[in-house]
Amino acid sequence: SGSTAPAFPGIDEVIVLDRRADLFSVLCSQFTYQALIDMVYGITNSSVDLSGKAWAKERKREQVRLSADNPFYRDIRDLHINRLGPLLQEKAQAIQRTYAEKDNIKDNTEMAEYIKKFKTAQSAHPLLEIHTNLAQDVTSSIQAEDYRQQLQLEDDITAQAAQSPLDAIEDWVDDQRPFHEVMRLLCLYSLVNNGIKAKHLDQVKRSILQAYGYEHMFTLCNLEKVGLLRYHQGKSVWSGIKRQFNLFPEGVSEDHDISYAYSGYAPLSARLVELTRGAPRGWRAREDALGLLYGPAQELQQQPA
C-alpha cells in the first residue's frame, strides 16, 4: 500500500530515581550472598581477594572472580544466605549423580552425551568447593556477637527506639569500632530522624576526630555536604515513609517480597518501582506518599517519532 508503520521508541520504559530519594537503603544491612561477600571481604572489579584464607591458598584460589557471566555464580549470588546452603547441597548431589552415571553407560551414543554432562559437572566442582567455603566464612561472620550487636543497633535506629541509639553509637566511637560501620549507623540515624540536634552532633563529631584522627574532618564535611549527616531540620517523616511504602511488611512470605534481601526491610527504591505496576494510575495515585520524599515525581509519555 506504500504506507509505513509508525515508528515507536526502541525502549519501552525507563524509570530514573534520584539517589537522594532513597539514601536509607544504601545504609541498611543486606543478607544476599553477594552483599555479604562484599561486607566480609570486599569485592573489587568483580573479584574477591582470599589470600588470607588457608583453604584458598591450598586450592591456589587466592583471587576469585565473581562474574554474572558464570552460570553457577549467577544462580546463587542474589539468594538470601539462609537459602544458600540447601542449594549448594543440591548442586553437590547433582554433580555426584553425574559422576555416578558412568557406570550405566551402554553404548557410544550414551557415552557422547555423558561426556558433555561430565565436562559441565567437572567445571562446576571447583566452584562448588570455593562457594561452600565462602558461604561458611560469611555465615560465621554474621553469627559473631559484634555483628549481632550491629544489627540490633540498626533495628533500634529504624524503629526510632525510645532509648536513643545515639548513645550506643557514641559508645562505639569510644571503643573505636570500625570507622566505616560507625559512620554508616550515624548517617542512618541522621536520615531517619531528619538530622541530629546540634549539641549532640557536635559532641559526636569531636569524639570521632579524637578517636579516629583529625584527617576525618574532611570525611565529616563531605558527609554533611551530600546530606547524609546533618543538623536537625524539624520533624522526621520516617514513620510516614515506612507506613506509606510498607517498608517493613508483616506476614509476607519472603519468596514473594523484595524484603528478603534485607531480612525484613523492603528497599524504598524497589517500592517506588513497584508503584509503577501495582497502582492503577502509577505514581499519580500516590502523590501524598511521594510528597514525603526528596524531589518531584513525574511520569512522561514518549510519543512516536
Side-chain angles (χ1 to χ4, degrees):
S1 62
S3 61
T4 58
F8 289 94
I11 298 175
D12 180 65
E13 183 177 21
V14 174
I15 300 174
V16 180
L17 299 177
D18 190 317
R19 170 47 69 193
R20 288 171 289 185
D22 178 22
L23 291 168
F24 310 102
S25 301
V26 180
L27 300 172
C28 290
S29 297
Q30 298 181 48
F31 284 85
T32 60
Y33 179 47
Q34 180 169 272
L36 289 172
I37 292 176
D38 189 38
M39 182 198 76
V40 175
Y41 295 105
I43 298 175
T44 304
N45 297 326
S46 299
S47 295
V48 59
D49 182 3
L50 302 174
S51 56
K53 290 295 178 179
W55 61 263
K57 290 181 179 179
E58 291 173 3
R59 293 166 175 79
K60 297 182 179 180
R61 291 279 187 166
E62 297 181 29
Q63 288 285 336
V64 175
R65 182 159 177 78
L66 305 175
S67 173
D69 295 333
N70 184 291
F72 188 99
Y73 182 62
R74 189 167 60 240
D75 287 345
I76 63 176
R77 63 175 185 166
D78 294 326
L79 287 179
H80 189 282
I81 189 63
N82 290 343
R83 293 180 173 271
L84 180 61
L87 182 63
L88 290 177
Q89 189 173 14
E90 288 178 15
K91 287 182 176 291
Q93 292 171 351
I95 290 173
Q96 293 304 320
R97 284 195 298 269
T98 298
Y99 290 161
E101 286 180 14
K102 70 178 185 299
D103 298 328
N104 301 318
I105 295 174
K106 297 176 182 178
D107 53 42
N108 290 336
T109 302
E110 290 185 1
M111 175 60 76
E113 290 298 320
Y114 173 74
I115 289 174
K116 293 178 183 178
K117 294 174 67 176
F118 176 80
K119 287 182 177 179
T120 300
Q122 191 177 39
S123 63
H125 202 151
L127 292 173
L128 176 65
E129 290 185 343
I130 289 169
H131 289 290
T132 298
N133 282 285
L134 268 176
Q136 290 174 348
D137 288 349
V138 165
T139 300
S140 297
S141 295
I142 64 176
Q143 290 175 346
E145 182 60 29
D146 283 353
Y147 187 75
R148 291 182 180 275
Q149 291 177 3
Q150 173 186 312
L151 290 180
Q152 182 59 57
L153 182 51
E154 185 177 313
D155 288 343
D156 289 345
I157 291 172
T158 55
Q160 293 180 300
Q163 184 176 0
S164 176
L166 193 58
D167 295 336
I169 294 174
E170 289 191 70
D171 290 340
W172 277 37
V173 174
D174 293 339
D175 293 341
Q176 292 191 331
R177 294 284 191 96
F179 178 75
H180 67 282
E181 288 300 337
V182 170
M183 297 312 303
R184 179 180 72 84
L185 293 168
L186 182 62
C187 290
L188 181 61
Y189 180 86
S190 175
L191 289 173
V192 163
N193 293 281
N194 198 22
I196 304 172
K197 291 181 179 179
K199 176 183 176 181
H200 296 148
L201 181 54
D202 288 340
Q203 174 59 42
V204 173
K205 286 161 63 175
R206 281 195 297 269
S207 298
I208 288 171
L209 295 178
Q210 290 170 0
Y212 299 101
Y214 283 87
E215 66 271 18
H216 287 297
M217 184 179 296
F218 296 105
T219 307
L220 296 171
C221 289
N222 288 332
L223 290 172
E224 290 184 43
K225 187 181 297 184
V226 299
L228 283 168
L229 189 62
R230 57 176 179 256
Y231 291 99
H232 194 248
Q233 298 178 353
K235 185 179 179 181
S236 168
V237 295
W238 172 243
S239 60
I241 293 173
K242 286 195 298 183
R243 183 180 64 257
Q244 292 280 5
F245 293 97
N246 193 25
L247 298 187
F248 291 87
E250 296 181 1
V252 176
S253 170
E254 289 188 347
D255 292 334
H256 301 96
D257 194 85
I258 190 61
S259 59
Y260 87 91
Y262 288 77
S263 278
Y265 165 71
L268 176 56
S269 48
R271 287 291 195 242
L272 288 170
V273 173
E274 289 175 355
L275 273 183
T276 66
R277 293 287 183 271
R281 296 173 52 238
W283 284 354
R284 290 188 294 273
R286 300 298 305 277
E287 292 180 359
D288 55 337
L290 294 170
L292 299 172
L293 308 180
Y294 176 90
Q298 297 179 327
E299 290 190 37
L300 305 174
Q301 184 76 33
Q302 186 175 3
Q303 300 299 322

